[in-house]
Amino acid sequence: MEPLIITAAVVGAELNRDDTAYLPLTPGEIAEEACAAHFAGATMIHLHARAADGSPTQDAQVYAQIIQEVRARCPDVIVQVSTGGAVGMSAEERLQPISLHPDMASLTTGTVNFSEDIFVNDLPMVRRFAQAMRLQSVTPEIEIFDTGMIPAALRLVKEGLLTEPLHFDLVLGVPGGAAGTPKNLLHLVESLPVGSTWTVAGIGAAQLPLAVMAIILGGHVRVGLEDNIYYKRGVLSEGNAPLVSRVVRLADELGRPVATPAEARRILRLEATRA
Ligand code: KMH
Ligand code: ZN
């Protein structure tokens, strides 16, 4: 089995300080959380950005500031920007951070109910995002919230907009998407094209059990406050690092080494660190 790549989704777009006081909001706070997660064992950071008032933004300048602060503190970490942004944002807004040439960007290949809202990713929009990533040489992480999004990704492969082997993030447990159950994870993993790599992002209480499954099955793991603010039932996680450290300990107990940034770049077929 390859070493385990741990991704930390440190902030997300939907939470605020009323949900958890540990949520980073300013570029400095987000960078500090990202690097604390990296020093705890995460080799990749999934980034969202916040405006000065704490609201979600896809402004390239804010992302640039975060990435600059991350690179100053922990230059080796793999930076993945979100193109999901927050529900209700336009395609133009969401695409902005691609222009910064990050290592990777998230790419959701279908529309999904997202709690009370709709996370819109119609096919023309997904094509446009994939094309933008292709033009800027940004590697996509294909975000799968339900089964139909896998054949949608393969359709883009056929159209020449995505190139195999693909890297997937199986996001399980969003209200409106596939539930965060072991059966659903197994089904999605079995549905991936041969040669793909995958990580799992279990939402809420699904984060820990699905992380353990991924360690055993040879997948990779995403944890972090974006997906789950609790360390255990009723106990908030004091930032992202405790969630990462727990995965490192579990991987060690289960005999799976944790990837270094260089190993993660090899596994994900990424170039050396970008400035
Ligand atoms: N905030 C969600 C609506 C992504 O980053 O690409 C979408 C999301 C996925 O977080
Ligand atoms: Zn996200």
Side-chain angles (χ1 to χ4, degrees):
M1 242 182 239
E2 288 282 19
L4 178 74
I5 301 169
I6 303 172
T7 299
V10 295
V11 54
E14 278 73 34
L15 296 166
N16 60 54
R17 285 268 166 82
D18 294 336
D19 299 303
T20 172
Y22 300 103
L23 191 72
L25 293 176
T26 66
E29 289 168 353
I30 293 171
E32 201 174 308
E33 269 299 299
C35 292
H38 173 60
F39 296 133
T43 41
M44 177 150 43
I45 304 299
H46 171 76
L47 279 180
H48 285 257
R50 300 300 182 104
D53 65 358
S55 61
T57 179
Q58 290 291 102
D59 187 319
Q61 282 186 355
V62 183
Y63 270 94
Q65 207 181 333
I66 297 169
I67 293 171
Q68 193 183 17
E69 298 215 22
V70 167
R71 291 279 177 244
R73 288 171 162 93
C74 54
D76 290 343
V77 78
I78 297 169
V79 172
Q80 180 195 112
V81 300
S82 169
T83 66
V87 285
M89 285 180 172
S90 68
E92 287 72 28
E93 268 179 291
R94 286 169 51 183
L95 269 172
Q96 291 175 81
I98 296 296
S99 63
L100 301 169
H101 300 283
D103 296 300
M104 298 187 85
S106 57
L107 174 67
T108 302
T109 51
T111 296
V112 62
N113 283 335
F114 201 90
S115 201
E116 302 294 316
D117 300 301
I118 305 174
F119 180 31
V120 176
N121 298 283
D122 58 46
L123 213 45
M125 197 187 246
V126 181
R127 285 193 185 102
R128 183 174 165 193
F129 281 33
Q131 177 75 346
M133 290 180 201
R134 203 174 181 75
L135 289 173
Q136 304 273 4
S137 303
V138 175
T139 303
E141 178 180 86
I142 317 289
E143 311 279 316
I144 301 298
F145 289 71
D146 218 332
T147 48
M149 295 189 193
I150 296 174
L154 295 180
R155 186 167 168 171
L156 266 66
V157 171
K158 273 209 178 115
E159 294 175 4
L161 290 167
L162 294 175
T163 307
E164 290 186 291
L166 299 174
H167 177 63
F168 290 89
D169 179 26
L170 309 173
V171 187
L172 293 177
V174 166
T181 62
K183 264 191 181 175
N184 280 345
L185 177 62
L186 290 173
H187 174 63
L188 290 179
V189 171
E190 284 166 4
S191 306
L192 297 177
V194 175
S196 304
T197 49
W198 61 273
T199 191
V200 68
I203 304 300
Q207 188 168 82
L208 181 57
L210 295 185
V212 174
M213 283 187 70
I215 295 169
I216 296 165
L217 292 171
H220 303 280
V221 171
R222 174 171 126 172
V223 290
L225 299 181
E226 174 169 347
D227 303 332
N228 167 42
I229 59 174
Y230 292 104
Y231 189 80
K232 57 185 176 186
R233 184 185 286 265
V235 179
L236 290 171
S237 181
E238 296 181 9
N240 289 274
L243 298 168
V244 174
S245 297
R246 177 163 60 184
V247 174
V248 172
R249 288 197 303 277
L250 287 165
D252 184 50
E253 288 291 336
L254 292 164
R256 180 114 184 252
V258 172
T260 62
E263 287 171 332
R265 285 181 185 278
R266 173 184 58 75
I267 294 165
L268 299 172
R269 303 162 291 275
L270 302 175
E271 296 169 3
T273 314
R274 292 185 172 184

